[in-house]
Amino acid sequence: MKRMILSAFFFNPQGDHRISWRHPRAPSREVYDLPYFQSLAAASEAAKLDAIFVADHVGMWDTFESNIAHYANPRLEPITLLSALAAVTSQVGLLATASASYTEPYNLARMFASLDHLSHGRAGWNVVTSSMPEEAMNFGHDGNIDHANRYERAGEYLDVVKALWDSIDDDAILLDRDSGLFADVTRIRRINHAGKYLKVRGPLNVPRPPQGHPVIVQAGSSDDGKTLAARHADVHFAVIRSIEEGLKYRADFDVRLAAAGRAPADLKILPGIHPVVAASRSEAREKEEFLQTLVPERIGVDLVSSWCGVDVSAFPIDGPLPPLPDLESYDGQRSNLERMKAFAEQGLSIREVAHRLINAGAVPSVIGTPADVADQLEEWFTAGAADGFNLMFPLLPEDLTQFCTEVVPELQRRGLAQTDYNGATLRDRLGLKRPANRFGRT
């Protein structure tokens, strides 16, 4: 029986509600130390979740008034963190965000190959093109790289990274003491890439990763982002708000995959969800509503401004969104702007939009008892609207613990979630093929 993929998402270290750090049961400064994340990873692995996913930005969100004052900006660098967690876990997948705009491809290929070796085939790379101007200004730019160029460059970047992973054959390292040959020179090659954006000689100085390529994850849902995912990604994180929308999203991707010469099974789609679990539905609603009482009004307004590329602070908070930028010329995150335009079409006020963005960035909440939450996930999964879910917990570690100890057993009882890890690598467990070496050897 097909089973759902479950990934635990960690971005804001106290939880994915934007102001979760204010909750009286939220962790404090321990979020910058290994034991805290070790406990999250241990809970995820005990529940047989497929992966933990550490998201990232390469800059402080500080353009608007409230950003530094109220938002939990500082976080640990994810590849460093996951390398440490590789030593204290044995099965759970380890996914990290890294920027294809502001990291040299050779360094990135080397880091993820190393993480894949250290974790015995559990690494995954969430490819982002970095759409925040605060990030661009940390790397010598005055503002964002043009959207089309970002994605065109990202496509070339992915080609280069994959070629570097393939630049050493699986059997290239001989360690033959009798002959004195450490490696077979015929099985290691320079890639000699000279493209529009990148020039990289190679070869990589790390053996080919155990998975061939670490699992490639992508989350951008603009047209350019989906085209990139159809060419390169193994897993796609999405914002989908209904089963009908999920089915349309899957159908669109299947067309894109066919155009890229790939099959539907080559890409797993995991919508983000915001699970809120309690003993009763009313208690679950109270949990969610309590977090909203902690939100300073100004940070909600500034978050709306950040997402839509327009400073909305001068507009009435209970009034509609102002005219929004044209999507085709927008150099920020177009998938965010698309969601803002959808909110505008629904007639939501700035306050109502802020409420949604504060609460996990517009992904749907799944609220209720453990059985209620399992029912909703099962409905989406069995309808074919999702291959699994990216679990975005509002409050850590509490909501992760509740989900793992109360919802996961219910999903396991129904035969929808795995009861043990099967397969040697993360790719094996996700039902993904090990990529062949593009240079002709496995």
Side-chain angles (χ1 to χ4, degrees):
M1 178 179 174
K2 183 182 177 184
R3 58 92 181 172
M4 63 178 64
I5 297 166
L6 297 173
S7 170
F9 178 88
F10 307 135
F11 180 44
N12 299 315
Q14 290 95 344
D16 204 56
H17 187 280
R18 296 300 196 274
I19 307 296
S20 57
W21 66 267
R22 291 191 70 192
H23 196 285
R25 293 192 298 276
S28 186
R29 294 183 184 274
E30 64 264 34
V31 300
Y32 304 117
D33 201 0
L34 181 60
Y36 172 69
F37 285 97
Q38 184 176 348
S39 69
L40 299 181
S44 301
E45 193 163 74
K48 313 304 179 187
L49 301 189
D50 290 278
I52 56 177
F53 167 33
V54 181
D56 194 36
H57 286 150
V58 286
M60 284 267 198
W61 180 45
D62 67 355
T63 296
F64 297 97
E65 177 184 307
S66 66
N67 303 165
I68 296 294
H70 300 302
Y71 184 63
N73 267 294
R75 52 183 53 87
L76 299 179
E77 192 282 315
I79 300 176
T80 305
L81 173 59
L82 290 179
S83 295
L85 292 177
V88 293
T89 58
S90 61
Q91 302 289 332
V92 71
L94 305 170
L95 311 180
T97 293
S99 173
S101 297
Y102 305 125
T103 310
E104 290 295 333
Y106 193 93
N107 288 342
L108 184 140
R110 191 168 185 241
M111 289 187 289
F112 276 101
S114 298
L115 178 60
D116 209 42
H117 281 284
L118 293 172
S119 66
H120 302 285
R122 294 186 283 137
W125 169 31
N126 176 44
V127 183
V128 297
T129 57
S130 297
S131 60
M132 290 169 54
E134 293 95 334
E135 295 173 288
M137 288 184 282
N138 288 332
F139 295 90
H141 301 274
D142 294 326
N144 277 329
I145 302 169
D146 177 74
H147 188 278
N149 289 345
R150 283 207 311 270
Y151 276 97
E152 184 181 48
R153 185 182 184 278
E156 183 181 337
Y157 190 107
L158 274 153
D159 284 331
V160 169
V161 169
K162 290 179 175 181
L164 286 167
W165 287 332
D166 290 342
S167 64
I168 302 182
D169 293 340
D170 292 323
D171 56 358
I173 307 301
L174 302 177
L175 290 169
D176 189 330
R177 291 183 174 89
D178 292 335
S179 68
L181 291 174
F182 184 89
D184 184 341
V185 69
T186 67
R187 298 176 187 177
I188 299 176
R189 64 198 58 79
R190 300 171 182 174
I191 66 170
N192 290 321
H193 176 88
K196 181 176 179 180
Y197 297 98
L198 301 167
K199 186 175 182 179
V200 181
R201 192 192 77 162
L204 193 65
N205 64 344
V206 178
R208 193 166 192 248
Q211 297 184 96
H213 301 164
V215 171
I216 302 295
V217 184
Q218 192 272 348
S221 56
S222 66
D223 189 66
D224 290 331
K226 288 189 282 190
T227 297
L228 183 75
R231 281 187 56 207
H232 292 285
D234 303 300
V235 176
H236 178 70
F237 291 145
V239 177
I240 296 170
R241 300 199 63 85
S242 68
I243 291 175
E244 181 183 19
E245 185 180 338
L247 292 172
K248 289 179 180 177
Y249 203 85
R250 176 81 252 186
D252 175 62
F253 254 111
D254 287 350
V255 172
R256 293 172 188 268
L257 288 163
R262 304 176 69 198
D266 293 338
L267 181 71
K268 311 300 182 182
I269 297 178
L270 307 186
I273 65 157
H274 189 245
V276 182
V277 185
S280 68
R281 295 174 186 177
S282 61
E283 184 183 337
R285 284 192 293 271
E286 287 172 7
K287 282 178 65 174
E288 185 177 50
E289 289 166 2
F290 176 73
L291 278 167
Q292 291 303 119
T293 68
L294 305 177
V295 180
E297 183 175 279
R298 181 67 198 208
I299 197 171
V301 171
D302 289 344
L303 190 60
V304 174
S305 299
S306 180
W307 274 52
C308 69
V310 175
D311 186 348
V312 303
S313 61
F315 295 89
I317 192 169
D318 290 310
L321 289 166
L324 300 178
D326 178 67
L327 194 64
E328 297 306 313
S329 60
Y330 188 58
D331 286 333
Q333 191 166 336
R334 289 186 183 175
S335 54
N336 284 354
L337 181 58
E338 285 179 321
R339 289 170 204 144
M340 301 301 292
K341 287 180 176 287
F343 290 148
E345 289 172 2
Q346 295 168 35
L348 298 183
S349 68
I350 292 172
R351 188 191 302 276
E352 290 168 329
V353 174
H355 179 97
R356 296 201 183 189
L357 298 188
I358 285 286
N359 194 20
V363 304
S365 293
V366 180
I367 300 174
T369 67
D372 290 334
V373 172
D375 286 344
Q376 293 172 74
L377 301 189
E378 180 176 13
E379 185 180 12
W380 279 55
F381 179 70
T382 57
D387 294 300
F389 301 93
N390 193 27
L391 306 166
M392 306 170 76
F393 302 103
L395 177 65
L396 291 172
E398 179 177 305
D399 288 329
L400 167 70
T401 301
Q402 277 194 287
F403 188 91
C404 286
T405 59
E406 298 176 23
V407 179
V408 170
E410 179 64 22
L411 293 172
Q412 292 171 332
R413 186 186 66 77
R414 301 180 190 193
L416 295 169
Q418 64 185 0
T419 56
D420 205 353
Y421 291 103
N422 296 298
T425 70
L426 179 59
R427 280 188 174 276
D428 294 334
R429 294 169 198 142
L430 299 183
L432 297 166
K433 294 179 291 189
R434 187 178 193 270
N437 191 312
R438 69 181 60 199
F439 299 111
R441 293 181 182 269
T442 58

